[in-house]
Amino acid sequence: MRVTQLFTKTSKNAPADEVAKNAQLLIRAGYIYKVMAGVYAYTPLGLRVVENIKKIVREEMNAIGGQELIMTNLQPKEDWEITTRWDDSVVDIWFKTKLKDDTEVGLAWSHEEAIMTMMKNYIKSYKDLPANVYQFQTKLRNEVRAKSGIMRGREFVMKDMYSLSTDADQHETFYQATIAAYKKVYDRLGLGEDTYVTFASGGAFTQFSHEFQTICEAGEDVIYVNREKGIAVNEEVLNDETLSVLGVTRDELTETKSAEVGNIFNFGTEKSEQMGIYYTDENDKKVPIFLGSYGIGITRVMGVIVEKFADDKGIVWPESVAPFKVYLVSIGDVATEADALYDELTSKGIEVLYDDRNERPGAKFADAELLGIPYRVTVSERLIADQKFEFTRRETSETELLTGKDLLDKLS
RNA sequence: CGGGGUGUGGCGCAGUUGAUAGCGCGCUCGGUUUGGGACCGAGAGGUCGAAGGUUUGAGUCCUUUCACCCCGACCA
């Protein structure tokens, strides 16, 4: 992609109506566009990042047997009345609307009831289990107050997965597999080091649920961490009982702010019983299905990555999610050589954003840094004279001069 | 939802005791320039969030309203 073809522009000024670092940088660099409070559009650049994150999540969910589907944003009232969750006093973030004939429908803030209603139609026998389904979906939540840029919006993309199992054992196997898969996801996203499986309040069926919390100053949560033991506890369940169950003492834990990037739940058979989702076992007995629910906030993860890695020059994307791998800068009248390099790199499948504008070097370098592309390659007359390319890493600013061959080796 | 704050060209801002708006960036045209956000010249672009009111006169005062931000509460 050539910069001259991108309709988005970078801006030196941060928007006055955003304080969150992630929103300021993502808007300045042209990844997102603010439509209204807590509602952001994703430009071609932003969409590339979102899709890269989804790709990683998709691969890891598929690896543990998840089957991808896509539910709807319009949901019938009846599905939610069964579990009492249509009631605004039970769920206060509903967007609700009406069809032309006055039928009430809800806009999806979650898909638990929706997916279970659908699965009820298909899952009949123990032979159908276990079944694990997931989707990437836009969730609509009527939050009283949006904040923190794309880390807490009224509309956001979430991966939600649901496991249906015959019993606690089968459920537990998948639950543990999911924890392992999630760890791989956060590793691949570059967040592994600072992401903890965190004990949190668990609802009716289990003592705890597990949250995936990434240490992040901009996060909304407070957790207590012991790095050596790999234990983390959400402050909401930090008490003597929890500490004794986990076998740690209070003074072994360090308080830190964090962002919830994933959350997994064990529903047991509670929801199945409410919704009448039963299977027939080997003895022709009706048994309620064991349910699990597993979420990853895709766009929130994007915000967390910006928050954690950005420096004073701009965004720093991990290579795995970066919209492009290389930012190609031409300086002066070197279009022939720069075009040739662009063609060569792209023909080898390397994603290049080619700054072919008639701009001064400083402007191009500044944009390369603001955009956070992992590698910058510079072509200039004096470099051409030496038959070299300049190769600069965004994260460290480390720079080396490479021959064309060495450059290709580095990038492939 | 409680408290606080802000709305003035695309973005960021300034507008003193009321007299129909100005700066930087960006944009357009011409020229020069090319290793850290270039320079010169010439331009385009806003009725000041909205509605109502006071006044000879309102971006400046009053009322209502909308939007946005922050703190708190809330967060399946």
Side-chain angles (χ1 to χ4, degrees):
Chain A
M1 172 76 76
R2 288 169 182 261
V3 171
T4 50
Q5 292 177 325
L6 273 182
F7 71 80
T8 52
K9 305 275 184 281
T10 58
S11 168
K12 288 183 203 173
N13 294 328
D17 66 349
E18 294 281 7
V19 170
K21 179 164 59 172
N22 71 84
Q24 288 199 343
L25 288 173
L26 289 166
I27 290 171
R28 279 187 57 207
Y31 286 96
I32 61 175
Y33 168 79
K34 184 180 199 166
V35 174
M36 55 192 212
V39 180
Y40 298 87
Y42 290 75
T43 67
L45 281 175
L47 183 60
R48 278 176 169 261
V49 177
V50 170
E51 290 301 320
N52 286 341
I53 296 169
K54 283 166 67 176
K55 178 171 183 282
I56 289 171
V57 173
R58 176 178 288 126
E59 287 173 4
E60 297 302 336
M61 295 308 102
N62 288 348
I64 56 172
Q67 298 184 62
E68 186 172 354
L69 52 78
I70 186 158
M71 298 300 293
T72 63
N73 275 310
L74 291 177
Q75 301 183 335
K77 173 170 78 168
E78 292 71 25
D79 289 354
W80 293 88
E81 283 180 331
I82 297 169
T83 57
T84 75
R85 296 211 291 177
W86 179 257
D87 192 334
D88 289 325
S89 66
V90 178
V91 173
D92 63 0
I93 52 171
W94 270 115
F95 285 106
K96 294 177 179 176
T97 186
K98 283 181 179 173
L99 303 182
K100 290 287 188 193
D101 66 1
D102 277 349
T103 302
E104 280 191 286
V105 295
L107 304 183
W109 62 276
S110 164
H111 289 82
E112 282 158 0
E113 274 76 343
I115 285 203
M116 291 317 143
T117 300
M118 185 187 84
M119 295 305 280
K120 183 180 177 182
N121 187 60
Y122 296 106
I123 305 298
K124 302 293 182 189
S125 156
Y126 70 96
K127 295 172 189 167
D128 298 327
L129 296 169
N132 315 303
V133 296
Y134 74 95
Q135 65 170 346
F136 297 96
Q137 253 292 11
T138 298
K139 308 292 182 189
L140 302 164
R141 298 190 182 182
N142 204 346
E143 301 273 2
V144 282
R145 183 186 160 203
K147 56 187 258 188
S148 307
I150 61 170
M151 290 174 70
R152 176 154 183 198
R154 297 196 166 93
E155 180 173 332
F156 57 94
V157 178
M158 187 172 183
K159 186 276 315 184
D160 46 323
M161 180 165 68
Y162 306 89
S163 69
L164 295 77
S165 305
T166 52
D167 55 26
D169 279 351
Q170 196 176 72
H171 169 267
E172 186 63 16
T173 301
F174 187 74
Y175 194 86
Q176 292 303 326
T178 305
I179 291 177
Y182 270 38
K183 285 180 177 170
K184 285 184 195 168
V185 166
Y186 296 115
D187 280 343
R188 292 178 64 184
L189 292 171
L191 297 172
E193 281 276 297
D194 283 329
T195 300
Y196 289 85
V197 181
T198 305
F199 291 87
S201 57
F205 218 80
T206 49
Q207 185 172 10
F208 301 113
S209 74
H210 294 100
E211 293 173 342
F212 287 76
Q213 293 276 1
T214 303
I215 294 173
C216 177
E217 258 312 298
E220 294 181 53
D221 291 336
V222 174
I223 61 171
Y224 291 78
V225 177
N226 183 308
R227 250 181 209 278
E228 293 74 49
K229 295 189 177 177
I231 288 175
V233 184
N234 192 308
E235 68 173 344
E236 67 193 12
V237 294
L238 186 72
N239 53 46
D240 291 343
E241 191 194 344
T242 302
L243 291 172
S244 75
V245 169
L246 301 180
V248 287
T249 61
R250 176 71 173 262
D251 52 318
E252 290 178 283
L253 298 170
T254 307
E255 180 183 316
T256 176
K257 291 184 80 174
S258 64
E260 184 186 330
V261 292
N263 191 350
I264 63 180
F265 269 97
N266 176 354
F267 280 113
T269 56
E270 184 187 29
K271 195 172 288 289
S272 299
E273 286 172 51
Q274 280 179 313
M275 299 184 70
I277 308 176
Y278 294 85
Y279 70 94
T280 305
D281 73 5
E282 298 90 324
N283 305 312
D284 200 26
K285 243 181 63 186
K286 291 252 181 265
V287 184
I289 285 173
F290 220 92
L291 290 177
S293 166
Y294 315 81
I296 292 180
I298 301 297
T299 42
R300 175 180 283 180
V301 161
M302 180 171 166
V304 170
I305 289 172
V306 174
E307 291 282 343
K308 280 191 73 72
F309 300 132
D311 60 21
D312 56 340
K313 291 174 180 157
I315 295 168
V316 181
W317 294 116
E319 199 175 319
S320 58
V321 303
F324 294 92
K325 185 171 183 178
V326 174
Y327 194 91
L328 175 59
V329 172
S330 63
I331 296 177
D333 186 17
V334 296
T336 309
E337 292 83 355
D339 284 359
L341 181 62
Y342 174 63
D343 290 342
E344 182 172 12
L345 293 176
T346 50
S347 74
K348 291 196 157 54
I350 298 165
E351 306 239 68
V352 180
L353 184 55
Y354 174 19
D355 195 341
D356 57 341
R357 296 174 300 173
N358 181 25
E359 285 287 345
R360 315 246 323 167
K364 294 191 178 187
F365 293 156
D367 277 348
E369 285 151 356
L370 175 61
L371 283 160
I373 311 299
Y375 306 106
R376 186 180 86 207
V377 174
T378 305
V379 178
S380 71
E381 285 172 15
R382 74 183 198 210
L383 286 163
I384 290 168
D386 287 345
Q387 301 201 310
K388 292 281 174 60
F389 297 102
E390 184 182 85
F391 177 82
T392 304
R393 295 171 194 273
R394 173 66 182 89
E395 189 182 356
T396 60
S397 299
E398 179 195 344
T399 294
E400 33 193 333
L401 298 181
L402 302 174
T403 64
K405 182 179 179 305
D406 288 345
L407 177 66
L408 277 173
D409 289 346
K410 275 275 191 218
L411 291 174
S412 26

